[in-house]
Each structure stands twice: as structure tokens, then as C-alpha cells.
Amino acid sequence: MKRTVCFGAAVATLLSTGAGFADEGDTLAEVKGRDQLICGVNAGLVGFASPDANGNWTGFDIAICKAVAAAVLGDPTKVKYVPTTGQTRFTALASGEVDILSRNSTWTFSRDTDLNLDFAGINYYDGQGFMVPRSLGVSSAKELGGATICIQTGTTTELNLADYFRANNMEYQPVNIDSNAEGEQQYMAGACDAYTTDASGLAATRAAFANPDDHIILPEIISKEPLGPVVRHGDNNWGDIVRWTLYALIAAEEYGVTSANIDELASNSENPEVQRLLGTTGDLGAMIGLDADWAKRAIKASGNYGEIFAKTIGEETPIGLARGLNAQWTQGGLIYAMPFR
């Protein structure tokens, strides 16, 4: 899910005036001072970020929030989750309402530059797709000429849709929506023939339907959507903490460090990178203002990247996403952590 450039001016103005957001460079101190991480998340997307009946948030993106809280505060439960929409997410981050945005947001040029935000890495390689009712009898997006399509306004998804139909010389009628929840409602009410957003979002939305098999996700992927956590531009140390916490989860999977064996490996692994990752040797934690066990706590919070993927959105979950591009680089995918040295 993405935003358009037009919103950039407002956010950039907010950043340039310093109105209402933490001073550059002190997010770590702010988080430690309040003893709580404030994490901007999706308002509700099964598998990625959603609360249960008791208000306990779980999901693939929630795991990032917990890992950062564990690394910084020593406790993955010390997180306040702030639901955001596609329209409000970047304002919430720029204004200082949240410390980090962990909410399927696409890394684009304009967001990185015009919005003065920094993407701390990529935790999911995605692409825009289409979902239609099976009863529509459509098996390809190229059969959607003349269709009504639910689309979130003010997003690059909207721009991708226009580009795709123009390139294929097809017409369509947009049905504008403000959120995934509204999109689901409109789609189920028959207000549109198809719903388009990130393919992972479509799978998560479909998983929440009473009869998910009555809906199919078409094979075409019409864009690149690299998703990842976002921080404010200018606070480089905070950006390093979020970035390397994500890398710790990814590296842990690569080196076979799991939530089950992490204590054992912390004491007896002979792999030098595992020793540095888990704080057995070296002083990597001190370089980002944390202690030696920061990465160990982050990994223990929810497991390594592979464990998190399998538990929240993987093939054995109702969402059923294969690793695909999100497999480790050693397994033919694109997931890759920078070296811990």
C-alpha cells in the first residue's frame, strides 16, 4: 500500500517546521524515557497486523514492533500500537505520533526523498494484484476491460492501475475507497467486479472471508512493491537500530538461530558471525547505543524471520503465502541481511 507524491508537500512542511515531532536524533531517548515503543500499524489486516478479541495485536508486521521493543527496552510487550490508514500513516510518523511505521508500506523514490522518510529495509517483497469472485468467470487481469475496480485513493496502487489498463488498451471504472476494510466491504457488497492492492494484502483479505474459495487472485502481478518498516529522516541512530533489528531476524534464520536454540547457540556456537550477532563476542550493541544482548532479545521475541513468516502468513496459515521472493538468498530468494561484523 502506498501514498502519492501530492501528500509529500504537507508532510515535508511538517518536517521542515519541526511542528510536533521529536527532535532529530533523540527517538531512542524518547522511547527509553517513556519506557514504551509507539508503533504505527495497519488498522487491521489479518496475518500482518490485527488485534484479537482481547486487543492483543499479532502479525508479520507486529513482529517487527515487538523485536524493536525487545532490543531497546528488553520487553516485547512494551509497545503501544497505533492503527493507521493509507491516508494517515506517514503523517503519524512525521508528526512524532509514532516512533516507527511497520505497516506494509512500499519503498519508493518520492517517499524516501520528498517525504523525508527512511526505509529501514525490506521485510516483504510484494507486487500489486487483482482479486475477483470466482463466479465472474475471469482467469486473467487482461479480461477485466470495462470492469469496476475497488482502489484506494491517494496511493501508487491507483497509479499502477491506471498505467496497466492504459498499457493494455483497456477501460475501467474505479470505485474509490479509503481503507482495506472499506475495500473488503465494497467488494463483498458487489460494488466492484475486482479489488486491487498488494497481492499479500489480497491473500490476507481473502483469508478473512467466510468462503475464501469463492474468490481467486489473478496471476498477473503488475508492479514491484518492496515493503518495510519506516522511520523519520534525520535520526540516523534510530534508523540503524530498526534496520539492524530487522537484519538480526533475517540473519538468525540464515544461520539457523531459532527461538528454541538461541540460548544454546549463544553459549556454544563456533560461528563467529553468530557469536557477534548474539553478543557473545564483540561490541556491536554499544555501537548503536544498546547492550550486547539486544539482537538476542529481538530474535527471542517472536523467532527468526522464517519462524515469523511461517507463523503469521506462511503456507500453513489461512493466508497461505509461499516464501517465493521472500526466501533467503541461499534458497533462491531476495531476503538478505548485511554482515554482522
Side-chain angles (χ1 to χ4, degrees):
M1 303 297 293
K2 335 69 184 162
R3 301 184 78 264
T4 54
V5 176
C6 63
F7 184 63
V11 177
T13 299
L14 184 61
L15 285 166
S16 64
T17 59
F21 71 93
D23 293 336
E24 291 183 355
D26 66 1
T27 306
L28 176 59
E30 292 272 345
V31 172
K32 285 186 173 180
R34 79 168 81 92
D35 199 30
Q36 184 183 54
L37 175 73
I38 303 177
C39 206
V41 298
N42 197 301
L45 186 61
V46 174
F48 285 88
S50 61
D52 64 17
N54 298 315
N56 299 312
W57 287 81
T58 59
F60 184 74
D61 289 332
I62 297 300
I64 297 293
C65 304
K66 292 181 177 179
V68 173
V72 173
L73 301 173
D75 187 343
T77 69
K78 290 184 175 180
V79 184
K80 176 184 177 182
Y81 297 100
V82 176
T84 63
T85 69
Q87 301 290 334
T88 66
R89 53 185 162 172
F90 296 121
T91 303
L93 179 61
S95 69
E97 180 182 356
V98 302
D99 303 309
I100 173 180
L101 195 64
S102 184
R103 181 196 182 285
N104 45 358
S105 296
T106 303
W107 189 346
T108 71
F109 182 96
S110 59
R111 291 172 179 171
D112 201 351
T113 58
D114 190 46
L115 294 188
N116 290 333
L117 302 176
D118 285 338
F119 282 77
I122 298 170
N123 68 337
Y124 193 91
Y125 289 90
D126 210 341
Q128 183 176 343
F130 297 88
M131 178 169 62
V132 299
R134 189 177 296 277
S135 60
L136 193 64
V138 169
S139 59
S140 167
K142 293 184 178 179
E143 299 173 30
L144 291 176
T148 54
I149 300 179
C150 284
I151 178 74
Q152 291 197 43
T153 56
T155 66
T156 53
T157 305
E158 185 178 22
L159 305 178
N160 295 335
L161 180 66
D163 288 348
Y164 180 77
F165 273 73
R166 187 183 304 113
N168 287 283
N169 196 29
M170 298 190 299
E171 300 290 333
Y172 70 100
Q173 181 64 44
V175 177
N176 297 328
I177 57 175
D178 289 329
S179 66
N180 187 70
E182 183 184 358
E184 178 180 336
Q185 292 171 357
Q186 294 281 46
Y187 172 80
M188 292 302 287
C192 49
D193 298 314
Y195 181 30
T196 184
T197 187
D198 297 341
S200 65
L202 294 176
T205 300
R206 183 177 63 171
F209 290 168
N211 298 298
D213 290 341
D214 290 347
H215 306 270
I216 60 173
I217 297 174
L218 301 178
E220 287 85 358
I221 297 297
I222 68 170
S223 69
K224 295 181 293 185
E225 307 295 342
L227 312 178
V230 195
V231 296
R232 286 180 291 277
H233 185 80
D235 189 343
N236 291 348
N237 188 59
W238 182 247
D240 286 344
I241 289 171
V242 176
R243 177 176 304 106
W244 285 95
T245 297
L246 171 60
Y247 285 159
L249 303 179
I250 293 171
E253 182 188 22
E254 179 180 347
Y255 292 111
V257 179
T258 70
S259 54
N261 66 17
I262 190 169
D263 289 326
E264 178 183 355
L265 291 180
S267 62
N268 63 19
S269 175
E270 296 182 356
N271 183 324
E273 186 144 3
V274 171
Q275 293 175 2
R276 291 189 292 270
L277 173 67
L278 300 183
T280 307
T281 62
D283 57 356
L284 297 185
M287 297 180 188
I288 53 175
L290 302 178
D291 62 22
D293 290 335
W294 66 278
K296 182 180 176 183
R297 291 193 300 271
I299 298 162
K300 291 187 74 170
S302 300
N304 65 36
Y305 180 88
E307 290 179 285
I308 294 167
F309 193 105
K311 183 166 52 182
T312 56
I313 58 176
E315 292 181 289
E316 302 303 318
T317 70
I319 299 172
L321 295 174
R323 289 293 293 267
L325 293 177
N326 296 293
Q328 289 277 340
W329 68 289
T330 53
Q331 302 296 318
L334 299 177
I335 293 296
Y336 186 108
M338 304 305 121
F340 279 79
R341 72 165 56 252

